[in-house]
Amino acid sequence: MAFRRRTKSYPLFSQEFVIHNHADIGFCLVLCVLIGLMFEVTAKTAFLFILPQYNISMPTADSETVHYHYGPKDLVTILFYIFITIILHAVVQEYILDKISKRLHLSKVKHSKFNESGQLVVFHLTSVIWCFYVVVTEGYLTNPRSLWEDYPHVHLPFQVKFFYLCQLAYWLHALPELYFQKVRKEEIPRQLQYICLYLVHIAGAYLLNLSRLGLILLLLQYSTEFLFHMARLFYFADENNEKLFSAWAAVFGVTRLFILTLAVLAIGFGLARMENQAFDPEKGNFNTLFCRLCVLLLVCAAQAWLMWRFIHSQLRHWREYWNEQSTKRRVPATPRVPARLIKRESGYHENGVVKAENGTSPRTKKLKSP
């Protein structure tokens, strides 16, 4: 891992060299971009990596406000923040998770899950706070009708666009981290599933100009995931601590219901009543019956799949619990054998020889001859 004091050296640009120094390599690339800001010749190109592009000045009653829309140059900005995320991932792993896992003495399987949950707890907590701040400051919570009014939402505030770029950068960085972290082959399909789900939903909300609805749904989803991974961390610290899992199980079903309700309300009813329902990709308008059905089908299928996995896992845990309880009841208690009382001769024993009370050994009885 990056930033770690190593005693073993690897061949330059070998597989092990890249794995153990990938964060250092990313830091060097980020440093080159930052140095480019110092020179007038390269400053314009460096800003292309750092700042969101496609800004538009829109006049208001008091002054002008700057808004943004998306375009191909966003890929360059996302690439830069992928390297930033890789560096932050290495810092959290090195200075927080590794120090905690050494004290817990976990097995290899639990150690891998502990690192996964530790990284996601930091990310989900940061995203929940950031997303909640954006939603409150933009007024999306106080005015739910703004989720579908004035569609298409082509012009985005700076904080909304920057939030989406960082979200895409994080989930794209998770793909090479599967290789850098040497994730077990059994864990890769499961992690690929939720990484791809997040990428599809976030990119879909960003490209289809459903950014306002996407912010609310991400806030609900990240809050539930934060509670789940926090419960896993407490479980790894103490296997008897399962109270947070019960709280997460209660919140999980409610969250699915809220996400489905908001999606149907905003897309199925709100956008369906809008006057402008023409397919116009140049203006960012995708408010057609076919697009609305595809989006609703994707959201409902994802929530149904998550709910099915949740029910399946809960049934499996309950089955294992009841099987364990039944086996405990079937095993009979082994009766205790009472200790036999040994009749001892008068006096006391010394080195296996019976001594009389006066210290002399008793006389042996003579057997009568028949």
Side-chain angles (χ1 to χ4, degrees):
M1 183 55 63
F3 312 108
R4 184 177 297 172
R5 295 180 180 178
R6 307 174 188 85
T7 56
K8 185 178 179 180
S9 60
Y10 300 98
L12 190 63
F13 297 115
S14 63
Q15 182 179 3
E16 293 295 328
F17 177 85
V18 174
I19 290 175
H20 287 80
N21 298 276
H22 66 276
D24 293 329
I25 297 173
F27 180 77
C28 293
L29 295 175
V30 170
L31 193 61
C32 291
V33 175
L34 296 178
I35 292 174
L37 296 174
M38 303 171 61
F39 304 97
E40 186 177 358
V41 179
T42 58
K44 187 176 181 180
T45 305
F47 278 118
L48 183 65
F49 285 89
I50 299 173
L51 296 178
Q53 304 299 310
Y54 305 105
N55 54 327
I56 299 174
S57 298
M58 301 181 64
T60 58
D62 299 333
S63 59
E64 291 185 351
T65 58
V66 179
H67 286 72
Y68 297 82
H69 62 90
Y70 64 81
K73 294 181 181 180
D74 290 342
L75 297 175
V76 180
T77 309
I78 292 174
L79 179 63
F80 176 78
Y81 286 99
I82 286 176
F83 289 111
I84 294 290
T85 312
I86 289 175
I87 297 170
L88 295 177
H89 186 114
V91 171
V92 172
Q93 184 69 40
E94 173 69 19
Y95 294 101
I96 300 177
L97 298 180
D98 286 349
K99 293 183 178 180
I100 297 176
S101 61
K102 287 179 181 179
R103 297 180 180 180
L104 297 178
H105 303 289
L106 301 173
S107 61
K108 290 185 177 180
V109 177
K110 290 185 177 180
H111 186 267
S112 176
K113 292 182 178 180
F114 177 84
N115 289 336
E116 176 192 358
S117 293
Q119 294 285 347
L120 289 176
V121 159
V122 176
F123 169 71
H124 288 315
L125 179 61
T126 306
S127 298
V128 165
I129 296 173
W130 189 3
C131 187
F132 182 75
Y133 174 78
V134 173
V135 167
V136 170
T137 54
E138 294 297 330
Y140 300 151
L141 282 181
T142 57
N143 184 19
R145 296 177 62 89
S146 63
L147 299 180
W148 61 83
E149 285 184 344
D150 300 327
Y151 182 84
H153 308 138
V154 180
H155 304 298
L156 305 175
F158 172 82
Q159 58 183 356
V160 175
K161 177 166 182 175
F162 190 62
F163 176 81
Y164 271 96
L165 294 180
C166 292
Q167 292 294 313
L168 291 172
Y170 180 86
W171 291 112
L172 286 173
H173 114 279
L175 295 174
E177 282 293 341
L178 297 177
Y179 170 74
F180 294 144
Q181 296 295 326
K182 295 183 178 180
V183 178
R184 296 184 305 116
K185 293 182 179 180
E186 296 81 5
E187 293 289 328
I188 291 179
R190 179 186 61 83
Q191 295 192 28
L192 280 177
Q193 287 176 356
Y194 71 76
I195 290 173
C196 293
L197 274 177
Y198 276 116
L199 284 174
V200 169
H201 283 77
I202 295 173
Y206 183 64
L207 296 176
L208 296 178
N209 297 313
L210 296 171
S211 56
R212 300 178 183 180
L213 177 62
L215 285 173
I216 304 295
L217 299 185
L218 279 178
L219 179 62
L220 294 172
Q221 177 66 22
Y222 283 166
S223 301
T224 308
E225 290 297 306
F226 169 75
L227 189 60
F228 169 72
H229 290 288
M230 183 61 73
R232 284 217 314 191
L233 292 181
F234 277 101
Y235 174 76
F236 291 140
D238 182 10
E239 294 186 355
N240 296 322
N241 192 350
E242 297 183 357
K243 295 181 180 179
L244 278 179
F245 279 116
S246 302
W248 166 75
V251 173
F252 186 87
V254 178
T255 304
R256 301 310 113 202
L257 182 62
F258 270 103
I259 290 177
L260 288 175
T261 304
L262 279 175
V264 173
L265 179 64
I267 300 174
F269 292 96
L271 292 179
R273 295 179 180 179
M274 299 294 294
E275 297 180 357
N276 189 9
Q277 297 192 15
F279 182 76
D280 191 356
E282 294 183 357
K283 295 183 178 180
N285 189 0
F286 301 94
N287 188 14
T288 61
L289 178 62
F290 177 75
C291 293
R292 292 197 302 269
L293 287 177
C294 290
V295 173
L296 280 177
L297 182 62
L298 177 63
V299 174
C300 293
Q303 300 307 309
W305 179 73
L306 290 174
M307 199 66 193
W308 178 83
R309 285 191 59 188
F310 171 76
I311 295 174
H312 180 71
S313 64
Q314 291 297 314
L315 291 176
R316 179 168 53 84
H317 288 308
W318 288 342
R319 194 181 303 114
E320 292 175 356
Y321 173 76
W322 288 113
N323 289 337
E324 184 180 352
Q325 294 297 322
S326 61
T327 52
K328 288 181 179 180
R329 294 175 182 175
R330 291 176 184 175
V331 175
T334 56
R336 294 183 179 180
V337 179
R340 295 182 180 179
L341 295 176
I342 302 174
K343 188 176 181 181
R344 305 185 69 175
E345 299 181 10
S346 59
Y348 66 95
H349 289 70
E350 183 178 342
N351 297 327
V353 180
V354 181
K355 297 289 185 179
E357 293 180 358
N358 55 4
T360 60
S361 41
R363 294 181 180 179
T364 57
K365 294 182 179 181
K366 294 182 179 180
L367 298 176
K368 295 182 180 181
S369 58

Coordinates of all heavy atoms in Angstrom, one line a residue, residues 104 106 109-110 113-115 117 231-239:
L104 N -7.7 -6.0 16.1 CA -8.8 -7.0 16.1 C -8.4 -8.4 15.8 O -9.1 -9.3 16.2 CB -9.9 -6.5 15.2 CG -10.5 -5.2 15.4 CD1 -11.5 -4.8 14.4 CD2 -11.2 -5.2 16.8
L106 N -8.2 -10.2 12.9 CA -9.2 -10.8 12.1 C -8.7 -11.9 11.2 O -7.5 -11.9 10.8 CB -10.0 -9.8 11.3 CG -10.6 -8.6 12.1 CD1 -11.2 -7.6 11.1 CD2 -11.8 -9.2 13.0
V109 N -10.8 -13.6 5.6 CA -12.1 -13.3 5.1 C -12.7 -12.1 5.8 O -13.2 -11.1 5.1 CB -13.1 -14.5 5.2 CG1 -14.5 -14.1 4.7 CG2 -12.5 -15.7 4.4
K110 N -12.7 -12.1 7.1 CA -13.2 -10.9 7.8 C -12.3 -9.7 7.6 O -12.9 -8.6 7.6 CB -13.2 -11.3 9.3 CG -14.3 -12.3 9.7 CD -14.4 -12.5 11.2 CE -15.5 -13.4 11.6 NZ -15.6 -13.6 13.0
K113 N -13.6 -8.1 4.4 CA -14.8 -7.4 4.5 C -14.7 -6.2 5.5 O -15.4 -5.2 5.3 CB -15.9 -8.4 5.1 CG -16.2 -9.5 4.2 CD -17.3 -10.4 4.8 CE -17.7 -11.5 3.8 NZ -18.7 -12.5 4.4
F114 N -13.8 -6.3 6.4 CA -13.6 -5.1 7.3 C -13.1 -3.9 6.5 O -13.5 -2.8 6.7 CB -12.7 -5.5 8.4 CG -12.3 -4.3 9.3 CD1 -13.1 -4.0 10.4 CD2 -11.1 -3.6 9.1 CE1 -12.8 -3.0 11.2 CE2 -10.8 -2.6 10.0 CZ -11.7 -2.2 11.0
N115 N -12.1 -4.2 5.6 CA -11.6 -3.1 4.8 C -12.6 -2.5 3.8 O -12.7 -1.3 3.6 CB -10.4 -3.6 4.0 CG -9.2 -3.9 4.8 OD1 -9.0 -3.3 5.9 ND2 -8.3 -4.8 4.4
S117 N -16.0 -2.5 4.3 CA -16.9 -1.7 5.0 C -16.3 -0.4 5.6 O -17.0 0.6 5.6 CB -17.5 -2.6 6.2 OG -18.3 -3.7 5.7
A231 N -22.8 -1.3 11.0 CA -23.2 -2.5 11.8 C -22.2 -3.6 11.6 O -21.9 -4.3 12.5 CB -24.6 -2.9 11.4
R232 N -21.7 -3.7 10.3 CA -20.7 -4.7 10.1 C -19.4 -4.5 10.8 O -18.7 -5.4 11.4 CB -20.4 -4.9 8.6 CG -21.4 -5.6 7.8 CD -20.9 -6.4 6.7 NE -19.9 -5.9 5.8 CZ -19.5 -6.5 4.7 NH1 -20.1 -7.6 4.3 NH2 -18.6 -5.9 4.0
L233 N -19.0 -3.2 10.9 CA -17.8 -2.9 11.7 C -17.9 -3.2 13.1 O -17.0 -3.7 13.8 CB -17.4 -1.4 11.5 CG -17.0 -1.0 10.1 CD1 -16.7 0.5 10.0 CD2 -15.8 -1.8 9.6
F234 N -19.1 -2.9 13.7 CA -19.3 -3.2 15.1 C -19.4 -4.7 15.3 O -18.9 -5.2 16.4 CB -20.6 -2.5 15.6 CG -20.4 -1.1 16.0 CD1 -20.8 -0.1 15.2 CD2 -19.9 -0.8 17.2 CE1 -20.7 1.3 15.5 CE2 -19.7 0.6 17.6 CZ -20.1 1.6 16.8
Y235 N -19.9 -5.4 14.4 CA -19.9 -6.9 14.5 C -18.5 -7.5 14.5 O -18.2 -8.4 15.2 CB -20.8 -7.4 13.4 CG -20.8 -9.0 13.3 CD1 -21.6 -9.7 14.2 CD2 -20.0 -9.7 12.4 CE1 -21.6 -11.1 14.2 CE2 -20.1 -11.0 12.3 CZ -20.8 -11.7 13.2 OH -20.8 -13.1 13.2
F236 N -17.6 -7.0 13.6 CA -16.3 -7.5 13.6 C -15.5 -7.2 14.9 O -14.7 -7.9 15.3 CB -15.5 -6.9 12.4 CG -16.0 -7.4 11.1 CD1 -16.1 -6.5 10.0 CD2 -16.4 -8.7 10.9 CE1 -16.6 -7.0 8.7 CE2 -16.9 -9.2 9.7 CZ -16.9 -8.3 8.6
A237 N -15.8 -6.0 15.5 CA -15.2 -5.7 16.8 C -15.7 -6.6 17.9 O -15.0 -7.0 18.8 CB -15.4 -4.2 17.1
D238 N -17.0 -6.9 17.9 CA -17.7 -7.7 18.9 C -18.8 -8.5 18.2 O -19.8 -7.9 17.8 CB -18.2 -6.9 20.0 CG -18.8 -7.7 21.2 OD1 -18.7 -9.0 21.1 OD2 -19.4 -7.1 22.1
E239 N -18.6 -9.8 18.1 CA -19.6 -10.7 17.4 C -20.9 -10.7 18.1 O -21.9 -11.2 17.5 CB -19.0 -12.1 17.2 CG -17.8 -12.1 16.3 CD -17.4 -13.5 16.0 OE1 -18.0 -14.5 16.6 OE2 -16.5 -13.7 15.1

